[in-house]
Amino acid sequence: MLKKESLHGMWGSRWVFIMAATGSAVGLGNIWKFPYITGENGGGAFVLVYLICIALIGLPLMMAEVLIGRRGRQSPVNSLRDVAEESGQPKAWQAVGLLGALAGFLIFGFYSVVGGWVFSYVSEMAQGSFNGAGADQVGDAFSGMLADPKRMLIWHSIFAFASMVVLVRGVNDGLERAIRILMPALFILLLVVFGYAFSTGHMGEAFHFMFDFSPEKLTANAVLVALGHAFFTLSLGMGTMIAYGSYMTKKASIGSTALTVVVLDTLVALVAGLAIFPIVFANNMDPGAGPGLMFVTLPVAFGNMPMGQIFGFLFFVLVGIAAWTSALSLMEPSIAFVVERFNIKRPLACLVLGLAGWLLGIAALLSFNVWSDVHLLMGKGIFDTLDYVTANIMLPLGGLLIAIFAGYVMLRRFTQEELSLSEGQYQAWRITVRYIAPVLVVIVLVNQLFFS
Ligand code: TRP
């Protein structure tokens, strides 16, 4: 029988759900990855394709996840099981939840390492380590960090610990309380850094770079990157939104709340780009520097600008908060599942999963130095394998299965009841989850697996 409330707790209001889901969605994906993949793929045309992907499959899939969670009112695994049963389908659908919980746990392993880098940059900025530094010097500092397992271990541990401290307190005293403080802080910091970028006088250039439509720069690969990133940035494909949806009140409209989250996440990515590129251009640096854009290019830029130390510090605090609220959502599905499955108290579940995630992170950070010869998949090290397998295979696969679940497995009247949209809107949603999203995701998956 379906439950009215989740045993883990319920969000205080519709806004808390929006903030929590936005906190999950807005993370390293928005501030670190989006600007650099935009840079690598030549700007304008890429941004347009990304926006189309977000609207076409991001929003409908987010609605699908939230509705499954709210109907099942449990961890993704058990929600999928009960919701499948309700529609007379096999319980085996719970495997999709397991795949997702596992993906979240694996992502947490390497996400915490990168979160640790961000925390360490907060401390470097506070000390003014990059003041007046040249590109070589900052580049060396970054590689020096990667070569230093002890230092990475300390920061990774702090990041993992900070995440578990919140998670252990549960949905209301932990997640909700943290999010009520952190999300407003995040938005204020973003505006402050944006204002600083504006003052450089290079906003126009950044605008052209991000929004000038130059179709000749658009490659097939860029389209795939945009589609894959739409999943990652919205935290889709692994049940995060099922877990968060299971704590959402019946009264809220899923369509409008999901839309708000999607719009906020997209705005943050665009504003982050418009905050970062002017600073890059003001220092005549290369926007296409790749993953080093945030950890090398930007610190050099901040180090050589008036008041760069203060704003560089604030910038990394912003990124740290974004990463932190996302890390919480990576672990929530597996924690909720372990609590339900083994009938144990939340603190114990957090301790076990937190320790395991921390150890996984240690393996990931050692792959930059001591274990650099360990190759798992296609010659990739541990860190890169975790990143590749989760973002490129597990998330799209999870997203595909969730779309099929919401579009074909659940009875039409149940999804209709849960979404309560107008007939036209409901039709549009149903066509996307049944036809458009699956086809696009299969294209991405096949490409990832066989052509890259
Ligand atoms: N969306 C986050 C980001 O942009 C990362 C993230 C958090 C995530 N939870 C997730 C990605 C669940 C996929 C699935 O950084």
Side-chain angles (χ1 to χ4, degrees):
M1 201 56 263
L2 293 171
K3 300 174 172 44
K4 283 219 162 50
E5 290 206 342
S6 164
L7 76 97
H8 308 284
M10 297 290 287
W11 303 123
S13 70
R14 169 174 175 269
W15 260 103
V16 176
F17 169 81
I18 291 177
M19 284 297 121
T22 307
S24 164
V26 171
L28 295 168
N30 302 59
I31 308 179
W32 170 54
K33 210 166 171 197
F34 175 72
Y36 91 70
I37 54 180
T38 301
E40 283 181 338
N41 291 289
F46 174 80
V47 174
L48 185 71
V49 176
Y50 164 78
L51 292 176
I52 294 174
C53 294
I54 292 279
L56 222 56
I57 54 175
L59 176 64
L61 266 180
M62 177 164 311
M63 290 164 68
E65 287 204 20
V66 176
L67 90 84
I68 294 167
R70 193 169 75 171
R71 205 161 177 88
R73 286 274 184 245
Q74 293 159 88
S75 68
V77 183
N78 291 330
S79 289
L80 283 160
R81 182 198 59 200
D82 287 5
V83 173
E85 253 196 323
E86 182 196 31
S87 290
Q89 300 286 335
K91 283 185 185 174
W93 277 97
Q94 64 182 322
V96 177
L98 275 175
L99 175 83
L102 180 67
F105 175 78
L106 295 177
I107 297 177
F108 181 84
F110 72 89
Y111 208 83
S112 174
V113 173
V114 183
W117 299 349
V118 175
F119 279 15
S120 104
Y121 270 63
V122 170
S123 131
E124 295 298 326
M125 279 290 169
Q127 298 167 43
S129 310
F130 302 126
N131 291 353
D136 290 349
Q137 196 184 334
V138 181
D140 289 347
F142 185 57
S143 8
M145 178 175 75
L146 295 185
D148 184 349
K150 268 201 223 99
R151 193 170 141 209
M152 279 200 287
L153 173 65
I154 293 172
W155 289 108
H156 154 61
S157 306
I158 295 176
F159 186 89
F161 185 76
S163 309
M164 298 324 291
V165 162
V166 176
L167 283 163
V168 82
R169 290 159 177 257
V171 174
N172 296 102
D173 292 340
L175 293 172
E176 178 164 341
R177 262 203 9 225
I179 279 154
R180 277 180 190 272
I181 302 167
L182 294 175
M183 293 314 288
L186 188 150
F187 283 105
I188 292 169
L189 284 171
L190 184 65
L191 290 182
V192 169
V193 177
F194 178 74
Y196 178 69
F198 203 84
S199 76
T200 61
H202 290 261
M203 188 57 82
E205 239 171 295
F207 225 87
H208 281 295
F209 179 69
M210 282 181 64
F211 299 114
D212 277 356
F213 184 70
S214 33
E216 72 282 359
K217 286 195 186 141
L218 200 64
T219 60
N221 186 54
V223 177
L224 293 177
V225 173
L227 195 54
H229 187 64
F231 270 92
F232 190 81
T233 190
L234 293 174
S235 303
L236 296 174
M238 58 143 279
T240 278
M241 293 299 165
I242 300 186
Y244 277 16
S246 74
Y247 311 141
M248 180 182 177
T249 67
K250 231 9 189 219
K251 278 177 290 183
S253 140
I254 291 179
S256 72
T257 31
L259 180 65
T260 311
V261 175
V262 168
V263 168
L264 285 174
D265 181 78
T266 307
L267 273 179
V268 172
L270 296 178
V271 173
L274 289 176
I276 288 174
F277 289 123
I279 297 172
V280 173
F281 290 135
N283 290 273
N284 286 317
M285 298 186 76
D286 173 19
L293 185 65
M294 190 167 90
F295 292 108
V296 180
T297 311
L298 266 189
V300 177
F302 280 122
N304 292 283
M305 292 168 79
M307 295 197 294
Q309 187 183 343
I310 299 182
F311 286 95
F313 169 76
L314 294 177
F315 174 80
F316 280 101
V317 172
L318 159 71
V319 183
I321 292 178
W324 189 16
T325 52
S326 297
L328 302 175
S329 75
L330 286 166
M331 279 297 220
E332 183 59 25
S334 50
I335 292 173
F337 169 64
V338 168
V339 169
E340 290 167 9
R341 172 69 178 74
F342 301 103
N343 200 8
I344 55 175
K345 290 250 183 316
R346 191 171 171 106
L348 181 59
C350 289
L351 184 71
V352 174
L353 288 166
L355 271 180
W358 178 68
L359 289 174
L360 185 66
I362 294 179
L365 69 85
L366 287 176
S367 69
F368 289 104
N369 35 72
V370 186
W371 286 354
S372 58
D373 306 331
V374 180
H375 299 298
L376 299 179
L377 203 76
M378 300 182 292
K380 292 179 198 293
I382 300 170
F383 183 98
D384 291 339
T385 303
L386 286 173
D387 179 14
Y388 181 85
V389 171
T390 52
N392 296 350
I393 300 172
M394 294 175 89
L395 296 185
L397 186 63
L400 172 65
L401 293 169
I402 289 169
I404 292 174
F405 186 87
Y408 296 92
V409 174
M410 282 181 79
L411 293 179
R412 185 190 160 106
R413 66 188 152 95
F414 293 144
T415 49
Q416 208 165 12
E417 181 186 313
E418 210 59 51
L419 290 176
S420 58
L421 296 168
S422 71
E423 186 55 33
Q425 288 170 329
Y426 179 76
Q427 277 301 346
W429 174 82
R430 197 167 157 87
I431 289 171
T432 354
V433 288
R434 282 171 73 99
Y435 308 107
I436 303 178
V439 170
L440 289 178
V441 176
V442 167
I443 294 174
V444 178
L445 258 176
V446 168
N447 249 288
Q448 302 280 15
L449 291 177
F450 303 108
F451 301 103
S452 60

